């Protein structure tokens, strides 16, 4: 069973760490994903699989939020600059790239979640 509270807290920790990654380049966005997953896995507890799952969800949630916020903007800008076809390609390209980013965010967050779940017990 998914502990959505742990996922949301992991997402929030990843958001804060992601913002800090711009200020402290050593942390980086991969570190932010690891932190997000670690928090989600630690709060969810359980076994290794539970940590992986909760970390994966926390990381993927960050990428999905990024897509939801940027795709409409890209569609509007593409439509204004390239007409209807530009709007479609602008919006769709951001969705595709955003889903790839969500997948990448989810992978390192899953590793962090597994580590967090192991340390929680």
């Amino acid at each position: 069973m998914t502990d959505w509270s742990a996922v949301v807290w992991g997402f929030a920790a990843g958001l804060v760490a992601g913002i800090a990654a711009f200020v402290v380049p050593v942390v980086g966005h991969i570190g932010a994903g690891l932190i997000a997953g670690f928090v989600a896995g630690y709060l969810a507890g359980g076994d290794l699989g539970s940590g992986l799952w909760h970390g994966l969800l926390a990381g993927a949630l960050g990428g999905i939020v990024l897509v939801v916020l940027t795709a409409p903007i890209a569609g509007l800008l593409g439509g204004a600059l390239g007409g209807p076809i530009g709007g479609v390609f602008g919006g769709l390209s951001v969705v595709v790239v955003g889903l790839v980013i969500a997948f990448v965010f989810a992978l390192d967050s899953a590793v962090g979640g597994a580590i967090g779940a192991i340390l929680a017990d």
Side-chain angles (χ1 to χ4, degrees):
M1 184 110 207
T2 302
D3 182 359
W4 288 103
S5 174
V7 171
V8 170
W9 278 110
F11 166 72
L15 186 64
V16 170
I19 292 170
F22 287 112
V23 179
V24 183
V26 176
V27 174
H29 292 285
I30 292 176
L34 288 171
I35 291 169
F38 178 82
V39 169
Y42 186 83
L43 291 176
D47 60 351
L48 185 67
S50 174
L52 282 168
W53 176 247
H54 287 88
L56 183 103
L57 288 177
L61 184 61
I64 291 169
V65 167
L66 183 69
V67 168
V68 169
L69 293 177
T70 57
I73 295 168
L76 288 174
L77 287 175
L81 299 174
I85 300 297
V88 169
F89 285 126
L92 285 178
S93 64
V94 168
V95 168
V96 170
V97 169
L99 291 177
V100 170
I101 289 171
F103 179 71
V104 171
F105 283 177
L107 290 178
D108 63 343
S109 294
V111 171
I115 295 168
I118 290 171
L119 294 178
D121 289 334

